[in-house]
């Protein structure tokens, strides 16, 4: 009888020990499957590595500098590292579809390496021995996105993700050829040609929340085709539907043709309407800007000046793509009386139609 009692007590003790070092959490892919559990086992006093981003989202603007926060700790110690292994810090950028990562920066000991367009622009802050924060200088439009900070020490590693958002403006774009004439790659190039990049879904969603309403579907950076509606109406999904960003889904990037939504931010230069004694043809407009020490402005630049600087001018003027537009920040009679907008006149005959011109002079 005593042997049986001892056996029971030993079994209970072993069970309690297992419970003290194990815990269960729902399967990350389907939390509704309560019978599925991932069992984590660790030593009670083990130096579990933790990587933490103090802010999940950072805001900046083109041309500025930014710090993406990342620090690492050991769960059961106050020190940054155990001292037995060198700390390796790796920063990568996640693509919009999360299918791959782009190398940004790697550091281990005194060795440092930056990659691609980040070379010479990225550094570790290293304000303390556990600081793996990344400084990015001279922010570019395509720096926008999500970045992963990974810290590795021996067999331990952990990660944190930080989103870099840029202050800017989303605008719909279609070329002189007209509506729905761009495949995905042509759409990307069209945005680049107008001092912008193809917009992400998050950027389009934020623009919709700020009032962007556009009935034509356009490419986004993840390869999807969508459009934002704030005022439901019959030609745009039906007048009885709710406002929102309508999703056409993912289409063949080579064969399918749509418009595109572009994103641009502030610029390092001066955007202005050129005061000229006469109206100009397109070629005359290009030459007039050059003679003034500038270049004919791009569509992205007029949108950035309008949205971010409050630029307001009722004069229609040529832009680099051959379109004619004018920016209105203060709606008034004869100048977009109902809304603030960049008004689109069209793509007039370059050789015979006469307009003013908007120029852009970059700062050195």
């Amino acid at each position: 009888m005593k042997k049986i009692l001892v056996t029971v007590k030993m079994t209970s003790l072993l069970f309690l020990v297992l419970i003290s070092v194990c815990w269960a959490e729902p399967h990350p892919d389907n939390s509704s499957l309560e019978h599925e559990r991932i069992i984590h086992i660790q030593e009670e006093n083990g130096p579990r590595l933790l990587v933490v981003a103090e802010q999940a989202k950072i805001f900046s603007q083109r041309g500025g500098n930014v710090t993406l926060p990342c620090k690492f700790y050991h769960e059961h110690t106050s020190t940054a590292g155990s001292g037995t292994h060198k700390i390796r810090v790796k920063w990568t950028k996640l693509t919009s579809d999360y299918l791959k990562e782009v190398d940004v920066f790697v550091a281990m000991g005194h060795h440092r390496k930056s990659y691609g367009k980040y070379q010479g622009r990225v550094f570790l802050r290293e304000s303390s021995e556990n600081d793996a924060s990344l400084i990015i200088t001279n922010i570019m439009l395509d720096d926008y996105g999500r970045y992963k900070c990974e810290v590795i020490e021996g067999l331990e590693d952990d990660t944190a993700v930080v989103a870099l958002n840029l202050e800017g403006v989303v605008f719909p774009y279609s070329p002189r050829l007209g509506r729905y004439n761009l495949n995905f790659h042509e759409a990307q190039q069209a945005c680049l040609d107008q001092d912008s990049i193809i917009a992400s879904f998050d950027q389009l969603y934020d623009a919709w929340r700020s009032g962007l309403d556009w009935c034509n579907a356009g490419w986004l950076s993840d390869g999807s085709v969508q459009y934002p509606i704030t005022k439901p109406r019959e030609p745009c999904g039906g007048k009885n539907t709710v406002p929102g960003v309508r999703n056409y889904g993912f289409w063949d990037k080579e064969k399918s043709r749509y418009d595109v939504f572009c994103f641009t931010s502030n610029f390092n230069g001066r955007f202005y309407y050129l005061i000229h004694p006469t109206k100009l043809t397109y070629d005359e407009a290009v030459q007039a800007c050059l003679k003034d020490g500038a270049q004919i402005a791009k569509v992205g630049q007029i949108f950035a000046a309008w949205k971010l600087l409050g630029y307001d001018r009722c004069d229609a003027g040529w832009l680099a793509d051959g379109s004619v537009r004018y920016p209105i920040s203060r709606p008034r009679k004869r100048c977009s009386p109902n809304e603030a907008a960049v008004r689109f006149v069209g793509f007039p005959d370059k050789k015979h139609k006469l307009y003013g011109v908007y120029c852009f002079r970059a700062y050195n």
Side-chain angles (χ1 to χ4, degrees), residues 4 10 63-64 117 153 169 185 229 246 268 288 294 324 340 344:
I4 294 174
M10 290 298 292
K117 68 185 182 65
E153 183 183 22
V169 56
H185 307 293
I229 294 296
R246 307 282 168 76
N268 184 30
V324 172
F344 176 63

Side-chain angles (χ1 to χ4, degrees), residues 58 81 91 100 109 180 227 285 287 363:
I58 301 295
W91 280 90
K100 64 178 181 179
Y180 293 177
Y227 64 100
Q287 292 304 313
Y363 296 146

Side-chain angles (χ1 to χ4, degrees), residues 61-323:
Q61 57 185 0
R62 177 164 54 170
N65 302 331
V66 71
T67 299
L68 304 183
C70 180
K71 290 189 176 181
F72 57 95
Y73 307 90
H74 282 122
E75 189 176 44
H76 300 289
T77 66
S78 60
T79 58
S82 65
T84 58
H85 299 95
K86 284 187 176 181
I87 299 291
R88 182 173 185 260
V89 176
K90 182 178 182 181
W91 280 90
T92 55
K93 184 181 181 186
L94 306 176
T95 57
S96 58
D97 56 10
Y98 291 93
L99 294 179
K100 64 178 181 179
E101 299 177 13
V102 177
D103 290 337
V104 175
F105 182 84
V106 173
M108 186 170 181
H110 297 294
H111 299 286
R112 304 282 190 275
K113 183 176 177 60
S114 53
Y115 296 86
K117 68 185 182 65
Y118 295 98
Q119 292 185 42
R121 297 197 300 122
V122 291
F123 313 91
L124 288 187
R125 182 173 63 181
E126 297 181 299
S127 62
S128 61
E129 63 178 9
N130 69 324
D131 187 8
S133 302
L134 186 73
I135 297 173
I136 307 178
T137 62
N138 190 24
I139 296 292
M140 300 178 180
L141 285 177
D142 55 359
D143 288 340
Y144 167 90
R146 291 176 174 84
Y147 291 79
K148 185 176 78 173
C149 172
E150 181 179 19
V151 179
I152 304 169
E153 183 183 22
L155 297 178
E156 291 191 83
D157 71 276
D158 196 20
T159 63
V161 175
V162 183
L164 173 58
N165 282 13
L166 300 184
E167 179 187 13
V169 56
V170 171
F171 61 95
Y173 186 78
S174 57
R176 175 180 287 274
L177 294 173
R179 181 175 179 261
Y180 293 177
N181 268 288
L182 299 170
N183 68 23
F184 178 78
H185 307 293
E186 292 166 344
Q188 284 183 310
Q189 188 60 50
C191 289
L192 290 174
D193 291 343
Q194 299 309 316
D195 193 42
S196 59
I197 59 171
I198 189 168
S200 70
F201 170 77
D202 289 342
Q203 289 168 333
L204 182 65
Y205 180 77
D206 288 342
W208 167 74
R209 291 184 63 187
S210 297
L212 180 62
D213 182 282
W214 197 255
C215 199
N216 292 354
W219 291 104
L220 295 177
S221 61
D222 61 359
S224 66
V225 176
Q226 309 195 37
Y227 64 100
I229 294 296
T230 59
K231 300 182 286 290
R233 50 201 182 276
E234 204 56 53
C236 303
K239 61 182 180 181
N240 295 322
T241 59
V242 297
V245 177
R246 307 282 168 76
N247 191 343
Y248 274 19
F250 295 87
W251 292 81
D252 189 309
K253 291 183 177 182
E254 299 288 346
K255 298 178 181 178
S256 300
R257 295 189 171 272
Y258 292 96
D259 291 346
V260 62
F261 289 98
C262 301
F263 172 83
T264 193
S265 186
N266 69 325
F267 42 71
N268 184 30
R270 178 188 171 217
F271 173 89
Y272 62 100
Y273 180 82
L274 180 65
I275 303 301
H276 195 274
T278 62
K279 299 298 184 182
L280 307 162
T281 65
Y282 176 80
D283 290 339
E284 290 171 343
V286 171
Q287 292 304 313
C289 287
L290 289 173
K291 188 176 180 179
D292 202 50
Q295 293 182 327
I296 187 169
K298 299 179 178 181
V299 176
Q301 290 162 347
I302 194 172
F303 271 96
W306 164 73
K307 182 70 173 181
L308 305 177
L309 302 178
Y311 196 93
D312 183 281
R313 185 98 192 185
C314 201
D315 298 286
W318 291 105
L319 294 174
D321 67 336
S323 66

